[in-house]
Amino acid sequence: MRLFRAVIRTVFLAGAPCFAADLSSVDAYIRAEIELNDVPGVAVAVWRNNRIVFAKGFGVRSAATGEPMTADTPVDLASVSKSLTAIALNQLSQQGKVDLNAPVAKYLPELSGAFTRIRIRHLERHTSGLTRRVDVLVPCCGQPYESDLDIAVARLSAVRPSRSPGAKFEYANSNYILLAALVERVSRQPFPVFMRECVFRPLAMLRTTLDPAEARAWKLADPHDRFWRQMQPRGSLFLGWYGSSLVKSTARDMARYLGWVLSRAGHSWSAPYDAGWFVRRKRDWPGNPIV
């Protein structure tokens, strides 16, 4: 059954001539897409010339209440949360507290065996040898200890990677769960607290949180699903884990965050995945850029 969520769309306009269209065309495009795809609500932000030039909500945050979607309505970021975890990790690296080329077992010593060859960079790039099959070992979704990262590490310590570290890209949430545990262990702060104080607030993401109660107070958008040809609010059976998902944010906050990402012109990206982002070289675009 396909799950429809209220969606954040953050559009980057980096000054290229192809992005010179009147912003009114953005409004018309989004309205057409909502109608075509029967999406309850969408929030859009456009970042250009180092500022937000367009921020607007379309549709509703909940089909049950009819409350409007706005650019400040939080939604679940799902796996986009990984990119924020990577910021926390790299912040600790810049402070000299974490060596990204060191084995993860240096900071999580209960990991042994094959983990002594898995470096933090491997986790960050999904090249550790862990697979999605091992994700089910980590408690989630109403299970006991689902927020305990020490329990997550203990469960994953028994895993045998499917291949040598660095040999192949294979997406696994467990990579970023372990990174969250590392951030918590090194910072000596609960992961949600470190993210709020050291990542969200410095980036002026003031309506971004890992706290479900806080997100609900800010009128978190409902997840939706089609039932008997009608789109209805329906809770998701799968919620996720710290580090890998669970961040709630808004279009306006994400525009500020991604504007900061755009400012990191000197950052070297490793394809096909790095620091929470899929990385592709667009050979059909002028200049053959990395996107």
Side-chain angles (χ1 to χ4, degrees):
M1 189 176 294
R2 188 176 181 185
L3 181 69
F4 285 80
R5 293 182 180 274
V7 186
I8 283 181
R9 289 283 177 89
T10 305
V11 182
F12 294 103
L13 300 184
C18 58
F19 292 128
D22 190 330
L23 286 171
S24 63
S25 64
V26 175
D27 193 294
Y29 173 79
I30 295 299
R31 292 185 188 280
E33 287 294 305
I34 286 179
E35 183 176 356
L36 177 65
N37 295 286
D38 193 20
V39 177
V42 173
V44 179
V46 178
W47 179 272
R48 188 178 188 185
N49 296 331
N50 296 316
R51 64 187 181 93
I52 296 171
V53 296
F54 182 95
K56 189 174 180 178
F58 299 82
V60 297
R61 76 165 193 89
S62 172
T65 66
E67 294 175 85
M69 189 79 175
T70 77
D72 297 308
T73 299
V75 306
D76 283 300
L77 294 189
S79 284
V80 176
S81 304
K82 291 180 174 68
S83 67
L84 291 156
T85 300
I87 289 180
L89 179 69
N90 282 276
Q91 184 178 105
L92 292 172
S93 172
Q94 290 172 7
Q95 294 170 0
K97 297 178 180 178
V98 171
D99 178 1
L100 298 180
N101 294 309
V104 63
K106 176 180 178 180
Y107 304 97
L108 302 173
E110 57 267 58
L111 299 177
S112 59
F115 280 96
T116 60
R117 295 184 292 114
I118 296 176
R119 302 185 182 278
I120 296 171
R121 287 284 193 201
H122 294 140
L123 297 176
E124 195 176 32
R125 294 172 178 172
H126 291 295
T127 57
S128 66
L130 299 179
T131 69
R132 299 201 65 164
R133 290 191 298 273
V134 307
D135 293 347
V136 298
L137 297 176
V138 183
C140 81
C141 315
Q143 298 176 16
Y145 313 114
E146 64 178 344
S147 299
D148 191 322
L149 287 168
D150 287 336
I151 297 293
V153 174
R155 294 279 186 89
L156 292 171
S157 65
V159 170
R160 297 185 65 180
S162 64
R163 55 179 55 87
S164 298
K168 182 181 177 182
F169 167 82
E170 187 157 1
Y171 192 95
N173 291 294
S174 297
N175 289 310
Y176 275 74
I177 297 169
L178 290 174
L179 291 178
L182 188 154
V183 168
E184 186 169 273
R185 194 77 59 87
V186 171
S187 70
R188 299 183 180 181
Q189 295 185 69
F191 182 72
V193 173
F194 184 87
M195 295 299 291
R196 183 188 67 222
E197 298 299 324
C198 300
V199 178
F200 303 154
R201 288 185 177 176
L203 290 174
M205 300 174 72
L206 303 181
R207 291 178 72 89
T208 300
T209 185
L210 277 158
D211 183 344
E214 189 170 45
R216 287 193 294 270
W218 294 335
K219 296 187 178 297
L220 176 71
D222 287 342
H224 290 75
D225 196 8
R226 187 181 300 285
F227 187 72
W228 290 101
R229 298 186 178 182
Q230 185 176 6
M231 195 67 72
Q232 299 180 9
R234 290 170 68 89
S236 174
L237 297 177
F238 179 76
L239 302 177
W241 308 272
Y242 284 155
S244 173
S245 50
L246 297 181
V247 176
K248 289 87 173 147
S249 189
T250 69
R252 202 183 302 273
D253 275 9
M254 290 299 289
R256 296 188 187 103
Y257 162 47
L258 295 175
W260 174 81
V261 172
L262 283 176
S263 72
R264 301 175 69 205
H267 183 81
S268 178
W269 296 93
S270 177
Y273 189 98
D274 195 7
W277 298 100
F278 281 96
V279 180
R280 300 284 188 271
R281 187 168 290 282
K282 298 293 289 186
R283 303 190 185 282
D284 55 335
W285 286 20
N288 189 28
I290 288 178
V291 178

